[in-house]
Amino acid sequence: MKPGGRCDAILLSSMRLVSPFLKHAVYPALQQIGWLDHIMPPCGYAVVNYHGVVPSDHSVAEVFLDGNLVQPEMFRRQLQFLKAHYHVIDPEDFRAWIERGKQLPPRAVLITCDDGLLNTLTDMLPMLKSENVPCLFFVTGASCSDQPGMLWYEELYDLMRARPLDGLGLQLPAEEAAEPSHSFQAQWWSVVRRASRLDAGARTDWMDRARSHCDGTNVFRHEIHSEKRWRLMNIAELKKLAEAGMTIGAHTLSHPVLSLCNVEEARHEIQESKNELERALGRQVWAFAYPFGNSSTMGEREVALAQEAGFTCAFLNVEHWRAGPANPFALPRIHVATDTTLPEFAAHLSGLHARLQRAVS
Ligand SMILES: [Zn+2]
């Protein structure tokens, strides 16, 4: 999901007009003649970002939330495409490039994956291993516990689907300059934004009340939905991922919209996710990814806080950030979604798509 502010909305609507034509006509034609293979990614490297794959025991029913997951066969094809046309680099080489200026190979690509859903261990990792490619996984502080549960905003989506929140919504801080929300998704995102203004403890208490409110009507149950799809990895599972040679980065403690937290809470979410993961894993955690990762959910304050926390670098979830020199604490990434076709993937990797986006904006 890519919620956006007014500027994002204008840009997105402009791109929406041209995107189907690019996706279904221009990019396939360019890929077929091999033209995309001759364009270098911006800065000479690219970073791709996943949110997991659709696990074998899950059938996609809610396209809005599941749109961030990639079908396994497409994931394998994308890995094979990267191996054939790019140099997939180890996250540690990316770190050495940032910290010491160690040279990257030409057409370098770093693979990343956010959130730490269980399917990243059960379904993604076997494919990464069989294709022999490394990945940098960004997980939340929840994965340092034995019972991490779900991402709170995904659970909230399910709760709100099951039953309107009624007066519970009134218990949340108000949105400044709120516009009326018409679609269900817009209403849900408004609640996510308002709940992000609570500190993590108060948000947990509010979610408990929301669960009780919807008790008996909640459509989410592990028995009827895939646990691999919804549950976050616990600490034992996270250690398995690390022991398999994967690199672990931090993604805050509780995945709020950081820009809506007060500064102490935002600092705590960023700094303590590093500390907790380092304690749990016994290794240094040097990379950070901003939750949601676009200009309507984080800004310069969060960039400064990530730097202050002692990370080497921090990643966005968008392909372009504000103009200016490259900033290691605002590194762009290519967001891969369920409906990303292979030619589209190739066009994003080459940097062509971002150039066109800039031209439209
Ligand atoms: Zn995330």
Side-chain angles (χ1 to χ4, degrees), residues 204-224:
T204 299
D205 291 345
W206 183 83
M207 281 294 292
D208 284 343
R209 292 198 291 279
R211 250 175 245 118
S212 313
H213 172 75
C214 298
D215 193 30
T217 57
N218 183 12
V219 292
F220 173 73
R221 288 288 180 271
H222 283 174
E223 311 88 85
I224 59 168

Side-chain angles (χ1 to χ4, degrees), residues 49-290:
N49 188 34
Y50 293 92
H51 286 79
V53 296
V54 180
S56 52
D57 58 353
H58 177 69
S59 55
V60 173
E62 180 57 70
V63 175
F64 183 76
L65 286 184
D66 286 338
N68 288 319
L69 303 182
V70 176
Q71 290 293 345
E73 58 274 24
M74 180 54 88
F75 182 59
R76 190 179 292 280
R77 286 178 67 197
Q78 290 170 352
L79 293 182
Q80 290 171 348
F81 172 87
L82 293 177
K83 286 166 64 180
H85 298 277
Y86 289 85
H87 285 105
V88 179
I89 56 168
D90 192 281
E92 291 300 331
D93 289 332
F94 190 83
R95 178 190 188 183
W97 172 63
I98 299 224
E99 289 183 355
R100 308 197 303 274
K102 183 187 167 192
Q103 201 170 356
L104 292 178
R107 300 174 73 79
V109 168
L110 175 68
I111 301 172
T112 69
C113 179
D114 285 6
D115 294 341
L117 292 171
L118 181 55
N119 68 74
T120 58
L121 176 72
T122 56
D123 295 64
M124 254 185 126
L125 180 64
M127 282 190 280
L128 289 165
K129 283 172 80 173
S130 71
E131 295 296 335
N132 196 28
V133 288
C135 182
L136 170 55
F137 287 90
F138 291 101
V139 305
T140 66
S143 287
C144 294
S145 70
D146 292 329
Q147 294 189 317
M150 296 170 65
L151 287 164
W152 68 271
Y153 57 89
E154 289 200 335
E155 184 175 8
L156 178 63
Y157 190 95
D158 245 350
L159 292 171
M160 288 176 66
R161 267 276 187 246
R163 185 178 176 188
L165 289 174
D166 303 326
L168 266 178
L170 298 174
Q171 297 174 12
L172 294 173
E175 273 261 65
E176 289 158 20
E179 292 175 21
S181 308
H182 298 297
S183 71
F184 173 79
Q185 280 85 11
Q187 286 167 15
W188 162 79
W189 182 243
S190 170
V191 176
V192 171
R193 287 176 56 85
R194 292 167 62 200
S196 286
R197 293 180 186 275
L198 299 172
D199 66 44
R203 195 182 325 117
T204 299
D205 291 345
W206 183 83
M207 281 294 292
D208 284 343
R209 292 198 291 279
R211 250 175 245 118
S212 313
H213 172 75
C214 298
D215 193 30
T217 57
N218 183 12
V219 292
F220 173 73
R221 288 288 180 271
H222 283 174
E223 311 88 85
I224 59 168
H225 281 283
S226 163
E227 185 181 17
K228 295 175 190 170
R229 160 65 185 90
W230 298 103
R231 181 167 71 72
L232 296 164
M233 279 182 286
N234 62 31
I235 185 58
E237 291 155 349
L238 185 62
K239 284 179 178 171
K240 280 187 197 164
L241 196 66
E243 283 159 11
M246 300 296 138
T247 304
I248 308 299
H251 197 39
T252 69
L253 288 175
S254 70
H255 209 297
V257 176
L258 277 175
S259 59
L260 299 175
C261 299
N262 66 45
V263 67
E264 293 79 19
E265 189 68 12
R267 179 179 283 117
H268 181 74
E269 283 279 347
I270 295 170
Q271 179 72 68
E272 281 308 305
S273 64
K274 183 179 197 302
N275 295 347
E276 282 200 16
L277 284 165
E278 287 181 343
R279 271 196 298 273
L281 295 169
R283 61 168 74 176
Q284 200 181 358
V285 171
W286 51 269
F288 179 75
Y290 303 98

